[in-house]
Every structure is written in C-alpha cells, then in structure tokens.
Amino acid sequence: MIKDRIDDIREVISEIKGQAFEDSGVTLIAVSKNKTVDDIREAMEAGITDIGENKVQELCQKMDEIGDNLNYHMIGNLQSNKVKDIVGRVKLIHSVDRKSLVKEIEKRCKREGIVQDVLVQVNISKEDTKSGVYVEDLKELLDFIETKEHIKVRGLMTMAPYYDNPDDAAWVFAKLKEIFEDIKTMNYNNIEMEYLSMGMSHDYKIALENGANMIRVGSYIFGERVYN
Ligand SMILES: *Cc1c(COP(=O)(O)O)cnc(C)c1O
C-alpha cells in the first residue's frame, strides 16, 4: 500500500521531468507526522531516503528510534527554544523565516562548531495562516543570513494556499521559481539556490510542473492523518 503510493509518485515525477526518477534530481520527502515508526520503515523498504516532520519532539523521537540511515527534514514552524534539539541532526530546516530564528541557529551551531543547511520559507500568497517571509522582506533576511558563518542557505520553500483545483496554485509555484532563479544570479557568500521545496499531496504535480525539485508528500503516501 505505502509502496504502491510511493511508486505512483515516482512515476509522476518521471513523467513530468522526462527522466527516470533516479536521474530526475527530485527529492521525494515522505512526510510522516502523526505516523508510526513502522509506517516509516515500510516507506524505507520502498526506497524512501528522506522524511519530514513538523514538530520537534516527534522528529527527535523518530530520529532516536530510527537512527542515521535516513535524512531528516524539519518542515514545520520552528520555535527558537527548540533549535538546539535539531541542529546538526537534520539535513535541512525548511522553515527559516525570521531574523530571531537565524540568530538562534547561528548561536547554537557556532557553539557546536557545525554548519546547518537551511531553506528560507517564503509566504508567496500572504495567507496569514501560513508562515514564511514575505517576498518584499526576503532580500533583507538573506542579507542578514549572509553575515552568519554557521548557516548555509541551500534553497527556498513555500506552501501554497489550498485550492479545490490544484492548478490554481500554479502562480504561487511559478513565482517562487522565478525568485529562486533571480537569487541564483546574485553572488551571495553562503547562499546557494539548489533546492526548491514545494508541493504536497494535493498539489505536488503542479509544483513539479513549475520547477520544484523537492516535494513533501504525507497523506498520499501514508493515508489521512487522524488527530485525537
Ligand atoms: C504536513 C505537511 C506536508 C504534507 O502534507 P500532505 O498534504 O499530507 O501531503 C508538507 N509540508 C508541510 C510543511 C507540512 O506541514
């Protein structure tokens, strides 16, 4: 079941990118929030190498249990007081969107003598329920991050608003792709535009068509999440 879903997504990636999944350069992150370690192991058997979680405590429990044979992604809103629990342990923090968080990551990484890779989350649609820096404030945030030696920006992330017809989200993804290409032409020190993390179960196809090379898919792989 989980394996079938993962195979489906790989096929879609392959179709849209016109290459075998392995050569497509697309990272498929299986979002395992609210799912069990057994579910994750099943996904690993189907070839999943990267998982995403949106809560620090749940992420840490799963990292402790599963260990080093997976890449972990922090994709949710990150409170500054939780930064210390994940720096150096996750492959990417996708949700860097404010100076206070940058300062905290820098402080913790400096103390440990490590460099943390991050994505900057951009709120393209300005929905107030979504986090992320506004487009007009992005440059100032990047200038600030550029002064930090223990953080490396590897790309951008966004969440599109929910549209009944996912095609309607295309403008959001196209806009972030344009910004991504724009920043590529600037010569920042510790800022590279390599990963474009956009697209979830409902809209990942549209995201891929608009340039995503990292998608975060949860419920399509693992089934709907049940919250108590
Ligand atoms: C939950 C979540 C996802 C995955 O959502 P699905 O609709 O279950 O695919 C992707 N990105 C973020 C930031 C999330 O919190």
Side-chain angles (χ1 to χ4, degrees), residues 31 33 54 75-76 121 157 159 199-202 216-220 225 227:
V31 176
K33 61 192 189 200
N54 69 339
I75 61 174
Q121 182 173 356
M157 181 272 223
M159 281 174 90
M200 314 177 14
S201 294
H202 180 63
R216 312 177 306 269
V217 183
S219 48
Y220 185 76
R225 288 176 290 275
Y227 295 95

Side-chain angles (χ1 to χ4, degrees), residues 161-166 199-206 217 219-220:
Y162 182 90
Y163 293 103
D164 285 332
N165 179 355
M200 314 177 14
S201 294
H202 180 63
D203 55 18
Y204 79 89
K205 292 176 195 165
I206 316 301
V217 183
S219 48
Y220 185 76

Side-chain angles (χ1 to χ4, degrees), residues 21 27 33 36 49 51 59 68 78 80 82 87 102 121-122 128 145 171 177-178 181 184-185 192 199 217-218 221 223:
F21 168 73
T27 304
K33 61 192 189 200
T36 65
T49 54
I51 66 160
L59 172 60
D68 292 338
L78 181 56
S80 291
K82 304 267 174 69
V87 289
V102 169
Q121 182 173 356
V122 186
D128 51 19
I145 299 176
W171 72 274
K177 167 73 169 168
E178 185 189 316
E181 293 300 334
K184 247 188 210 175
T185 67
E192 251 177 44
V217 183
I221 294 176

Side-chain angles (χ1 to χ4, degrees), residues 2-215:
I2 287 177
K3 180 178 187 311
D4 295 338
R5 295 305 185 91
I6 291 167
D7 288 345
D8 286 353
I9 298 169
R10 290 197 170 143
E11 223 164 89
V12 170
I13 292 171
S14 171
E15 257 167 47
I16 293 176
K17 300 293 179 182
Q19 277 172 314
F21 168 73
E22 291 73 17
D23 304 322
S24 67
V26 175
T27 304
L28 169 57
I29 299 173
V31 176
S32 50
K33 61 192 189 200
N34 252 50
K35 297 294 169 182
T36 65
V37 167
D38 281 345
D39 291 332
I40 297 172
R41 292 199 197 281
E42 204 177 319
M44 290 167 75
E45 268 161 40
I48 285 291
T49 54
D50 292 70
I51 66 160
E53 290 280 341
N54 69 339
K55 296 214 167 61
V56 167
Q57 194 187 358
E58 189 175 346
L59 172 60
C60 288
Q61 280 167 0
K62 285 170 177 166
M63 288 194 291
D64 288 343
E65 202 165 328
I66 299 166
D68 292 338
N69 42 355
L70 263 183
N71 296 316
Y72 298 93
H73 297 258
M74 175 58 198
I75 61 174
N77 217 343
L78 181 56
Q79 289 172 284
S80 291
N81 63 356
K82 304 267 174 69
V83 164
K84 61 178 184 314
D85 299 331
I86 61 165
V87 289
R89 299 190 72 190
V90 294
K91 179 180 164 81
L92 279 174
I93 297 170
H94 290 230
S95 45
V96 171
D97 63 353
R98 59 192 189 275
K99 287 184 185 175
S100 58
L101 183 56
V102 169
K103 271 190 210 164
E104 182 64 20
I105 296 172
E106 173 66 13
K107 185 175 105 185
R108 294 289 169 179
C109 289
K110 189 173 180 180
R111 195 174 288 178
E112 294 189 34
I114 57 176
V115 175
Q116 177 66 54
D117 286 343
V118 306
L119 304 180
V120 172
Q121 182 173 356
V122 186
N123 186 349
I124 299 280
S125 61
K126 292 196 170 167
E127 272 187 304
D128 51 19
T129 53
K130 298 240 178 344
S131 4
V133 62
Y134 286 169
V135 174
E136 59 267 34
D137 302 324
L138 177 59
K139 176 92 175 42
E140 190 184 331
L141 184 61
L142 292 177
D143 287 344
F144 185 71
I145 299 176
E146 200 186 18
T147 66
K148 309 297 177 217
E149 286 175 21
H150 301 85
I151 301 179
K152 183 156 189 205
V153 176
R154 304 286 297 271
L156 302 175
M157 181 272 223
T158 199
M159 281 174 90
Y162 182 90
Y163 293 103
D164 285 332
N165 179 355
D167 288 338
D168 293 344
W171 72 274
V172 174
F173 301 136
K175 180 76 191 164
L176 193 66
K177 167 73 169 168
E178 185 189 316
I179 295 166
F180 179 85
E181 293 300 334
D182 227 43
I183 297 170
K184 247 188 210 175
T185 67
M186 302 175 190
N187 287 317
Y188 282 109
N189 281 327
N190 52 346
I191 294 170
E192 251 177 44
M193 286 296 120
E194 186 177 345
Y195 300 118
L196 191 50
S197 169
M198 49 188 202
M200 314 177 14
S201 294
H202 180 63
D203 55 18
Y204 79 89
K205 292 176 195 165
I206 316 301
L208 287 167
E209 285 166 2
N210 285 279
N213 62 15
M214 189 170 255
I215 57 176

